[in-house]
Amino acid sequence: MITRLQNVKRLGAELGAGALETLFFEDGVILGWNLDRQADQTLDGRGGTVVPALIELHAHLREPGQEEKEDLESGLAAAAAGGYGTVVSMPNTAPVVDDPALVRSLIAKAEGLGYARLRPAAALTKGQKGEQLAELALLKEAGAVTFTDDGRTNEDARMLRLGLEYAHSLGLVVSVHAEDATLRADGVMNEGAVSESLGLPGNPVAAEAARVARDVELARLTGARLHIQHLSSARALEIVRRAKADGIVVTCEVCPHHLTLTDEALRSFDAMYKVAPPLRTQADAEALLEGLRDGTVDCLATDHAPHTSAEKERDLLQAPFGIPSIEVAFPLMYTRFADVLGPAKIVELFTSAPARVMGWTLPSLEEGAPADLTVLDFETEREVKVSEFKSKARFSPWAGEKLRGWPVLTVVGGRVAFERASRPDTNS
Ligand code: DOR
């Protein structure tokens, strides 16, 4: 079946100035632009800008075992609504994704849903316990795309070394949640002036910086590809900057919440803002933005971490860590930072940049590429409405904010995975 997507602009230097064009695809593969072809189906991009579908390297979809928080269906539908065509899911589920049969069944189930593609991460160690490596070769064969004990930390340096060596021999990246658990201890927020004034246990920057320093040394030692997840502090970023200057193969991601929120938000005592690693200071957020500008930070990822409202309504000491953001990440980044980074750079940080981190073929809208694409509306301001979320986590630090840059159409493998109602509802 041939589909034409009409009334779209291409992302150019002069954003919004582009002419309206038509993109053709057939059976999930792009045929080309402005062809003189009949089509079986027509999609209307409504004047939006078409880009390759966004790629998410870090989302908690909670299946199996925690479906009250999220499941593949709600999580991948939420991802498609956020403009994502591909999602790397984290393995800290119940049971942990350390079994090739489980990787296969998750992929098979996701394929049947018709939302974003699932490319699961598998655990680096069995049960994410840090004691024994998981069956990395079999997990790769089953479809795992990276190994990580995310959600937990890698306390045993020798185990991480072995994991890096093994993963490297398989050509895959090891992704790490870089915090020293002994130093983080029972900290529920950034350690600093705000935690002191609130009397809450703090998690110092040193917990992240010390662990990043150790992990880049392991990358140096092994020559393996190390990816540092959700970097949150200026200190840790500086260590990555120096490691890169030294030629160490290390990449890192930052999350929208660490760029747009600070530990001041915890003054509300609202556990919605409780996340690991924690929200830091304004100076940290600014350093991370500079890291995006100068290329020290490789890509954006959400660390979408859904929990039930009941869990997040507990007090700060009891509530679980995590902020859901997969449905708002792009418009949030676009609205806040298009002036500083430019729209093309922001799109890159959500598309080619994560693909480069994983060593995947770079996404493109040229003939022969998969028809995975997203139409973005840079013009219309829409409010963040949690009631409209596809995610089961219907709360958001950005609820009520007016944002631009919303995905209005997401196509995955040539099929519509998400379409936004054409006019924002202004009544509620
Ligand atoms: O805030 C977080 N939430 N950080 C993590 O590392 C895990 C995640 C989760 O699974 O909820």
Side-chain angles (χ1 to χ4, degrees):
M1 183 175 78
I2 297 185
T3 305
R4 47 184 276 150
L5 169 61
Q6 63 187 24
N7 293 326
V8 285
K9 294 173 197 157
R10 273 195 252 193
L11 190 62
E14 278 180 272
L15 193 84
L20 291 176
E21 301 190 63
T22 304
L23 181 64
F24 288 75
F25 45 90
E26 181 176 25
D27 300 332
V29 178
I30 292 179
L31 292 174
W33 291 90
N34 309 317
L35 305 177
D36 187 15
R37 296 279 297 258
Q38 294 294 317
D40 307 294
Q41 185 192 24
T42 298
L43 300 174
D44 191 351
R46 309 192 305 243
T49 299
V50 64
V51 300
L54 313 186
I55 296 173
E56 166 67 293
L57 293 190
H58 193 156
H60 296 271
L61 302 185
R62 308 300 191 201
E63 188 169 335
Q66 298 170 326
E67 288 85 353
E68 70 284 4
K69 297 174 193 266
E70 195 81 289
D71 59 25
L72 286 186
E73 180 155 15
S74 62
L76 293 171
Y84 293 93
T86 299
V87 177
V88 176
S89 54
M90 291 299 112
N92 62 332
T93 46
V96 162
V97 181
D98 61 1
D99 170 8
L102 182 51
V103 171
R104 281 201 181 86
S105 78
L106 291 172
I107 294 172
K109 182 164 179 190
E111 268 169 15
L113 295 172
Y115 298 118
R117 294 177 199 273
L118 182 72
R119 304 193 77 180
L124 184 71
T125 63
K126 286 192 178 156
Q128 295 192 310
K129 291 197 178 114
E131 292 161 2
Q132 226 183 329
L133 282 186
E135 303 274 17
L136 304 190
L138 296 178
L139 288 163
K140 179 191 174 187
E141 209 177 290
V145 296
T146 181
F147 303 111
T148 179
D149 283 344
D150 178 58
R152 300 199 187 181
T153 57
N154 297 99
E155 293 310 297
D156 185 328
R158 184 174 162 276
M159 192 56 59
L160 181 56
R161 175 193 182 168
L162 293 176
L164 280 163
E165 287 171 346
Y166 194 175
H168 193 50
S169 73
L170 297 170
L172 293 188
V173 174
V174 172
S175 305
V176 289
H177 178 135
E179 285 191 292
D180 181 312
T182 62
L183 204 49
R184 174 174 115 171
D186 59 358
V188 296
M189 64 174 293
N190 181 47
E191 181 176 307
V194 182
S195 69
E196 272 159 37
S197 77
L198 299 177
L200 287 168
N203 171 355
V205 161
E208 181 177 69
R211 181 48 53 88
V212 169
R214 184 202 76 174
D215 289 356
V216 298
E217 284 308 318
L218 293 176
R220 188 202 299 269
L221 177 67
T222 59
R225 286 159 62 201
L226 172 76
H227 177 63
I228 298 167
Q229 301 174 301
H230 45 46
L231 205 80
S232 68
S233 63
R235 279 293 309 133
L237 181 73
E238 193 47 39
I239 293 164
V240 172
R241 190 175 277 123
R242 271 192 259 145
K244 287 188 169 192
D246 267 9
I248 299 174
V249 184
V250 56
T251 55
C252 68
E253 68 191 28
V254 295
C255 304
H257 50 265
H258 289 127
L259 291 158
T260 60
L261 302 167
T262 69
D263 59 357
E264 292 289 338
L266 276 302
R267 289 194 189 280
S268 65
F269 286 99
D270 189 337
M272 179 167 69
Y273 301 104
K274 180 178 175 183
V275 63
L279 304 176
R280 305 284 187 189
T281 65
Q282 187 58 33
D284 289 297
E286 283 166 17
L288 297 179
L289 185 61
E290 183 52 31
L292 285 171
R293 271 159 58 105
D294 72 14
T296 306
V297 176
D298 294 271
C299 71
L300 290 163
T302 66
D303 192 9
H304 175 72
H307 294 288
T308 65
S309 297
E311 287 169 314
K312 289 298 259 182
E313 278 158 16
R314 290 189 201 146
D315 67 63
L316 266 172
L317 298 181
Q318 304 298 326
F321 293 92
I323 295 179
S325 59
I326 206 162
E327 282 170 84
V328 299
F330 188 90
L332 180 66
M333 290 300 300
Y334 178 80
T335 306
R336 296 284 187 95
F337 303 122
D339 284 356
V340 198
L341 297 172
K345 173 75 176 171
I346 294 176
V347 168
E348 205 231 313
L349 287 166
F350 279 94
T351 54
S352 308
R356 214 173 279 122
V357 165
M358 286 291 142
W360 297 343
T361 307
L362 297 189
S364 118
L365 294 178
E366 297 310 315
E367 186 185 344
D372 284 14
L373 46 98
T374 298
V375 179
L376 300 166
D377 176 359
F378 292 125
E379 315 290 330
T380 315
E381 197 166 71
R382 289 181 169 83
E383 197 180 310
V384 176
K385 288 189 183 147
V386 293
S387 60
E388 291 175 2
F389 280 1
K390 311 275 183 204
S391 170
K392 292 186 186 182
R394 301 239 161 108
F395 53 88
S396 170
W398 306 281
E401 276 195 37
K402 293 201 167 68
L403 304 177
R404 291 175 198 272
W406 290 92
V408 291
L409 179 69
T410 307
V411 171
V412 180
R415 297 197 321 195
V416 175
F418 171 74
E419 192 165 11
R420 194 174 299 279
S422 56
R423 288 184 181 283
D425 173 9
T426 47
N427 297 327
S428 55

Short mmCIF file of all heavy atoms in Angstrom, two decimals, residues 58 60 62 92 150-152 177 184 230 274-277 303 305-307 320-323, ligand 1:
data_model
loop_
_atom_site.label_atom_id
_atom_site.label_comp_id
_atom_site.label_asym_id
_atom_site.label_seq_id
_atom_site.Cartn_x
_atom_site.Cartn_y
_atom_site.Cartn_z
N HIS A 58 15.68 5.57 27.15
CA HIS A 58 15.56 5.31 28.59
C HIS A 58 14.13 5.51 29.09
O HIS A 58 13.74 6.61 29.45
CB HIS A 58 16.51 6.28 29.32
CG HIS A 58 16.71 5.93 30.76
ND1 HIS A 58 17.83 6.32 31.46
CD2 HIS A 58 15.96 5.24 31.64
CE1 HIS A 58 17.75 5.88 32.69
NE2 HIS A 58 16.63 5.23 32.84
N HIS A 60 10.93 3.52 31.50
CA HIS A 60 10.48 2.43 32.37
C HIS A 60 9.04 2.10 31.98
O HIS A 60 8.15 2.92 32.20
CB HIS A 60 10.57 2.84 33.84
CG HIS A 60 11.98 3.09 34.29
ND1 HIS A 60 12.78 2.10 34.78
CD2 HIS A 60 12.74 4.21 34.26
CE1 HIS A 60 13.98 2.59 35.07
NE2 HIS A 60 13.99 3.88 34.75
N ARG A 62 7.59 -0.89 32.85
CA ARG A 62 7.04 -1.61 34.03
C ARG A 62 6.47 -2.99 33.77
O ARG A 62 5.99 -3.62 34.71
CB ARG A 62 5.96 -0.77 34.72
CG ARG A 62 6.36 0.63 35.08
CD ARG A 62 7.53 0.68 36.02
NE ARG A 62 7.75 2.03 36.56
CZ ARG A 62 8.90 2.43 37.07
NH1 ARG A 62 9.93 1.60 37.13
NH2 ARG A 62 9.03 3.64 37.54
N ASN A 92 14.35 -3.06 34.91
CA ASN A 92 14.10 -3.21 36.37
C ASN A 92 12.61 -3.46 36.64
O ASN A 92 11.94 -2.71 37.32
CB ASN A 92 14.60 -1.99 37.16
CG ASN A 92 13.90 -0.69 36.79
OD1 ASN A 92 13.43 -0.53 35.66
ND2 ASN A 92 13.84 0.24 37.72
N ASP A 150 20.16 -0.38 35.47
CA ASP A 150 19.49 0.87 35.84
C ASP A 150 18.33 0.64 36.80
O ASP A 150 17.59 -0.34 36.69
CB ASP A 150 18.94 1.60 34.61
CG ASP A 150 18.21 2.87 35.01
OD1 ASP A 150 18.83 3.72 35.64
OD2 ASP A 150 17.01 2.98 34.71
N GLY A 151 18.18 1.61 37.68
CA GLY A 151 17.22 1.45 38.77
C GLY A 151 18.02 1.04 39.99
O GLY A 151 17.76 1.47 41.10
N ARG A 152 19.05 0.23 39.71
CA ARG A 152 20.06 -0.05 40.73
C ARG A 152 21.38 0.48 40.21
O ARG A 152 21.50 0.87 39.05
CB ARG A 152 20.19 -1.54 40.97
CG ARG A 152 18.89 -2.14 41.44
CD ARG A 152 19.14 -3.45 42.09
NE ARG A 152 17.88 -4.09 42.40
CZ ARG A 152 17.81 -5.26 43.00
NH1 ARG A 152 18.91 -5.90 43.34
NH2 ARG A 152 16.64 -5.80 43.26
N HIS A 177 23.64 3.51 35.56
CA HIS A 177 23.08 4.47 36.52
C HIS A 177 24.23 4.78 37.47
O HIS A 177 24.55 3.98 38.35
CB HIS A 177 21.91 3.82 37.25
CG HIS A 177 21.28 4.69 38.28
ND1 HIS A 177 19.91 4.83 38.41
CD2 HIS A 177 21.81 5.50 39.24
CE1 HIS A 177 19.64 5.68 39.40
NE2 HIS A 177 20.78 6.08 39.93
N ARG A 184 25.12 7.81 48.44
CA ARG A 184 23.75 8.28 48.25
C ARG A 184 22.92 7.93 49.49
O ARG A 184 22.07 8.69 49.92
CB ARG A 184 23.17 7.59 47.02
CG ARG A 184 21.73 7.86 46.78
CD ARG A 184 21.31 7.25 45.47
NE ARG A 184 20.33 6.21 45.68
CZ ARG A 184 19.65 5.61 44.71
NH1 ARG A 184 19.89 5.92 43.46
NH2 ARG A 184 18.77 4.68 44.97
N HIS A 230 21.15 9.53 32.55
CA HIS A 230 20.61 10.66 33.32
C HIS A 230 21.64 11.45 34.16
O HIS A 230 21.51 11.56 35.38
CB HIS A 230 19.45 10.22 34.20
CG HIS A 230 19.65 8.94 34.97
ND1 HIS A 230 20.78 8.64 35.69
CD2 HIS A 230 18.82 7.88 35.13
CE1 HIS A 230 20.64 7.45 36.25
NE2 HIS A 230 19.47 6.97 35.92
N LYS A 274 10.54 13.80 43.40
CA LYS A 274 11.56 12.88 43.93
C LYS A 274 12.02 11.96 42.80
O LYS A 274 11.22 11.20 42.25
CB LYS A 274 10.97 12.06 45.08
CG LYS A 274 11.94 11.08 45.70
CD LYS A 274 11.29 10.35 46.87
CE LYS A 274 12.21 9.28 47.42
NZ LYS A 274 11.58 8.52 48.50
N VAL A 275 13.29 12.04 42.48
CA VAL A 275 13.81 11.30 41.34
C VAL A 275 15.28 10.97 41.61
O VAL A 275 15.94 11.66 42.38
CB VAL A 275 13.63 12.15 40.04
CG1 VAL A 275 14.43 13.45 40.09
CG2 VAL A 275 13.94 11.36 38.78
N ALA A 276 15.75 9.91 40.99
CA ALA A 276 17.15 9.51 41.17
C ALA A 276 17.84 9.42 39.81
O ALA A 276 17.34 8.70 38.95
CB ALA A 276 17.22 8.15 41.86
N PRO A 277 18.98 10.11 39.62
CA PRO A 277 19.58 11.07 40.53
C PRO A 277 18.68 12.28 40.72
O PRO A 277 17.81 12.53 39.88
CB PRO A 277 20.90 11.44 39.83
CG PRO A 277 20.73 11.06 38.41
CD PRO A 277 19.76 9.94 38.37
N ASP A 303 14.09 9.04 30.90
CA ASP A 303 13.98 8.30 32.17
C ASP A 303 12.52 8.32 32.64
O ASP A 303 12.24 8.41 33.83
CB ASP A 303 14.92 8.86 33.25
CG ASP A 303 15.02 7.93 34.46
OD1 ASP A 303 14.52 6.79 34.39
OD2 ASP A 303 15.59 8.35 35.48
N ALA A 305 9.52 7.53 34.21
CA ALA A 305 9.44 6.60 35.35
C ALA A 305 8.06 6.69 35.99
O ALA A 305 7.87 7.35 37.01
CB ALA A 305 10.54 6.91 36.36
N PRO A 306 7.08 6.02 35.38
CA PRO A 306 5.71 6.09 35.91
C PRO A 306 5.54 5.32 37.23
O PRO A 306 6.14 4.26 37.43
CB PRO A 306 4.88 5.43 34.79
CG PRO A 306 5.83 4.57 34.04
CD PRO A 306 7.18 5.20 34.16
N HIS A 307 4.77 5.92 38.11
CA HIS A 307 4.34 5.27 39.35
C HIS A 307 2.87 5.60 39.52
O HIS A 307 2.35 6.50 38.84
CB HIS A 307 5.13 5.82 40.55
CG HIS A 307 6.59 5.48 40.51
ND1 HIS A 307 7.08 4.22 40.74
CD2 HIS A 307 7.67 6.25 40.24
CE1 HIS A 307 8.39 4.21 40.63
NE2 HIS A 307 8.78 5.45 40.31
N PRO A 320 8.25 6.45 45.92
CA PRO A 320 9.31 5.96 45.02
C PRO A 320 9.91 7.10 44.18
O PRO A 320 9.29 8.16 44.02
CB PRO A 320 8.56 4.96 44.12
CG PRO A 320 7.13 5.40 44.15
CD PRO A 320 6.90 6.07 45.48
N PHE A 321 11.10 6.84 43.66
CA PHE A 321 11.79 7.81 42.81
C PHE A 321 11.23 7.74 41.38
O PHE A 321 10.99 6.64 40.88
CB PHE A 321 13.29 7.47 42.75
CG PHE A 321 14.03 7.65 44.04
CD1 PHE A 321 14.18 6.60 44.94
CD2 PHE A 321 14.59 8.88 44.36
CE1 PHE A 321 14.88 6.76 46.13
CE2 PHE A 321 15.30 9.05 45.55
CZ PHE A 321 15.44 7.99 46.44
N GLY A 322 11.11 8.87 40.73
CA GLY A 322 10.77 8.82 39.30
C GLY A 322 9.81 9.89 38.84
O GLY A 322 8.87 10.24 39.56
N ILE A 323 10.06 10.40 37.65
CA ILE A 323 9.21 11.43 37.03
C ILE A 323 8.82 10.93 35.62
O ILE A 323 9.70 10.63 34.83
CB ILE A 323 9.97 12.78 36.91
CG1 ILE A 323 10.28 13.33 38.31
CG2 ILE A 323 9.15 13.79 36.10
CD1 ILE A 323 11.06 14.64 38.31
O1 DOR B 1 14.00 8.11 39.50
C1 DOR B 1 14.22 6.99 39.10
N1 DOR B 1 13.23 6.11 38.85
N2 DOR B 1 15.48 6.61 38.90
C2 DOR B 1 15.80 5.33 38.64
O2 DOR B 1 16.95 5.03 38.50
C3 DOR B 1 14.75 4.30 38.55
C4 DOR B 1 13.47 4.89 38.19
C5 DOR B 1 12.33 3.93 38.39
O3 DOR B 1 12.45 2.76 38.03
O4 DOR B 1 11.28 4.38 38.84
#
